[in-house]
Amino acid sequence: MAEFIKPGPGELPGDTGSAGRMRKLSGKPDFSLDAKYLQQDGIIVLSGTQALVRLPLDQHRADKARGLNTATFISGYRGSPLGGLDMLLEEQEDLIKRHQIHFVPGINEDLGATAVFGSQLANLLPNPRYDGVLGMWYGKSPGVDRTGDAFKHANFAGVGRHGGVLALAGDDPGAKSSTLPSSTEYQL
């Protein structure tokens, strides 16, 4: 049986420790691949796209700890370079539903952004279901170009009291998945 030793300050898992032994990441016997989404403390290992899936889960847990009943609405375009986000959200359908996360893929970037904008209006209706809604929009750089009008109006209208919007833009400077090289630094 392997000996598991927690890394010391400034050491990484797998480093040789001060005793000259190979250090291994100590783990829980009940470890699962879902730890990247469920584990709330300690070290987790996840990709950038997995971090985007985890973000609304963490926000929901933080809001719940503050006594807020919030939800998240995610929409955007299924194209790359953020195309893997929709697949990960669909793979975690049960988990995201338990955290009041609603994923509705957009037909294009405009419709996705308009739907996310609408999520911020939920509290203006009588008897809202949630205290606030986090809206997440994702798309690639050419979609940011075409979605400027929706962004402009959403920015002018603002966000709900316990809501907010996160816009995720996937740049493609090498034109690997777009017709032209593109980036969003000027649009955003």
Side-chain angles (χ1 to χ4, degrees):
M1 184 167 171
E3 178 182 6
F4 291 98
I5 303 168
K6 283 191 174 183
E11 296 177 335
L12 296 173
D15 285 350
T16 302
S18 56
R21 295 181 297 194
M22 181 64 113
R23 294 188 179 272
K24 296 187 180 184
L25 179 62
S26 63
K28 299 177 184 176
D30 60 344
F31 174 79
S32 78
L33 291 176
D34 290 332
K36 64 184 160 279
Y37 300 126
L38 301 176
Q39 185 175 319
Q40 295 186 38
D41 51 22
I43 297 172
I44 56 170
V45 178
L46 63 165
S47 71
T49 308
Q50 291 167 342
L52 296 176
V53 173
R54 184 181 169 104
L55 187 139
L57 298 168
D58 284 345
Q59 184 64 53
H60 183 256
R61 288 188 278 255
D63 288 344
K64 192 173 183 179
R66 291 183 5 210
L68 295 172
N69 177 30
T70 60
T72 300
F73 180 80
I74 303 172
S75 189
Y77 181 62
R78 291 180 171 258
S80 15
L82 290 173
L85 179 60
D86 58 343
M87 292 183 284
L88 288 176
L89 289 166
E90 287 172 343
E91 286 174 10
Q92 298 300 321
E93 183 178 5
D94 292 337
L95 176 63
I96 67 174
K97 281 184 180 178
R98 288 195 311 266
H99 287 82
Q100 299 175 179
I101 299 169
H102 307 279
F103 171 56
V104 179
I107 294 173
N108 60 38
E109 289 92 342
D110 294 347
L111 293 176
T114 302
V116 169
F117 171 30
S119 74
Q120 298 306 297
L121 305 175
N123 286 86
L124 299 178
L125 301 171
N127 305 314
R129 183 182 300 176
Y130 303 108
D131 297 325
V133 177
L134 167 64
M136 285 179 63
W137 173 89
Y138 67 96
K140 59 185 188 175
S141 183
V144 172
D145 292 340
R146 65 179 283 153
T147 307
D149 188 56
F151 283 169
K152 188 182 299 182
H153 285 85
N155 190 42
F156 180 76
V159 297
R161 180 168 180 227
H162 296 292
V165 172
L166 175 63
L168 306 167
D171 289 348
D172 189 7
K176 290 184 178 182
S177 65
S178 304
T179 56
L180 299 169
S182 54
S183 65
T184 56
E185 58 195 69
Y186 295 111
Q187 293 92 328
L188 297 176

